[in-house]
Amino acid sequence: EYHQAQDPSHEGSSTRLMSRLQKEWVWFDGFLKASLVNCIKWSLHLSVVLGGFYIFVWWMARDHVYHNVNDVPVRYAAVVLGCVKKVGGYPNTFFTKRIEAAKKLYDEGKVQYLIVSGYNSHNGYDGPTDMKAALIEKGVPANRIYCDYAGFRTLDSVLRARKVFGQPDFIVVSQHFHNERAVYIARRYGMDDVVAYDAADAETG
């Protein structure tokens, strides 16, 4: 019988190739496992840091954020933090609830004036004007509402209330998660008499 001769060099090349692929796979598998472990470790570290920061913010603000309007101390003015009036063409409940909360503070005599703080730098968006119009529609007199058009961030809104509008103490109006941060910022900058009143969350209807 005739048998085709096998090329020993071909068999050797195949063996070396397989060995190389196995080594590369072992290295790649180890790299993936090490990367996964590092990713988990860094995620845990980040979670601890963020969790610690949140606890610190909560601790700083815990006695200065109110949910019941009757418990809110009287101040000369309230700062209503801005957000868009509509989302996807539908009313933004966060906006609506903040307006309702500000109106309640005014009606209950907790404040004499309202500062609506936001910005109007984007096309078609003018947060302070929208908030003022909504408050006037609710029955708040126009001469009791001041617009802050440079409230680009919570930090800006809080600091400008003191530096621009002359209010060393005031009531912040927003949702709870936002109020905690605003009160924390105020206290970090020496405004220890700033408090906040929680507007209802959007999901409460």
Side-chain angles (χ1 to χ4, degrees):
E1 295 182 1
Y2 172 76
H3 296 281
Q4 184 177 2
Q6 299 293 324
D7 185 352
S9 62
H10 178 72
E11 291 182 356
S13 298
S14 298
T15 302
R16 288 193 298 271
L17 178 60
M18 291 299 297
S19 176
R20 181 179 177 183
L21 289 175
Q22 287 176 350
K23 290 179 180 179
E24 290 181 351
W25 171 250
V26 169
W27 176 87
F28 186 66
D29 184 57
F31 173 78
L32 285 178
K33 290 179 180 178
S35 298
L36 180 60
V37 170
N38 287 332
C39 183
I40 293 173
K41 287 168 60 178
W42 280 108
S43 297
L44 289 174
H45 291 160
L46 182 60
S47 298
V48 170
V49 171
L50 291 177
F53 179 73
Y54 173 77
I55 291 172
F56 184 67
V57 170
W58 167 83
W59 183 80
M60 289 279 286
R62 70 192 189 286
D63 296 326
H64 310 282
V65 179
Y66 299 90
H67 184 70
N68 189 326
V69 70
N70 296 320
D71 298 331
V72 181
V74 174
R75 295 288 187 266
Y76 190 65
V79 175
V80 189
L81 299 180
C83 62
V84 295
K85 182 178 181 179
K86 292 185 176 182
V87 177
Y90 295 95
N92 181 2
T93 314
F94 285 104
F95 177 95
T96 304
K97 296 301 182 182
R98 292 181 195 184
I99 296 301
E100 292 175 357
K103 175 65 161 52
K104 185 177 291 187
L105 284 176
Y106 181 81
D107 287 345
E108 295 294 328
K110 298 295 182 176
V111 295
Q112 298 182 44
Y113 291 90
L114 298 171
I115 301 169
V116 289
S117 183
Y119 56 93
N120 61 350
S121 59
H122 289 311
N123 294 333
Y125 174 66
D126 186 346
T129 299
D130 287 342
M131 287 190 286
K132 182 173 182 177
L135 285 166
I136 292 173
E137 188 176 345
K138 288 281 187 182
V140 179
N143 63 357
R144 296 285 176 163
I145 308 168
Y146 286 87
C147 291
D148 175 16
Y149 294 102
F152 299 104
R153 303 170 296 169
T154 305
L155 175 65
D156 297 323
S157 297
V158 170
L159 295 185
R160 284 174 57 82
R162 179 178 64 180
K163 294 180 179 179
V164 177
F165 294 91
Q167 303 302 309
D169 56 356
F170 48 89
I171 302 171
V172 179
V173 180
S174 188
Q175 276 70 31
H176 183 76
F177 69 91
H178 201 181
N179 279 340
E180 287 185 326
R181 185 154 46 94
V183 170
Y184 166 77
I185 291 171
R187 295 182 70 81
R188 281 293 303 270
Y189 282 87
M191 292 181 279
D192 294 340
D193 292 325
V194 169
V195 298
Y197 175 52
D198 287 342
D201 287 327
E203 60 267 23
T204 60

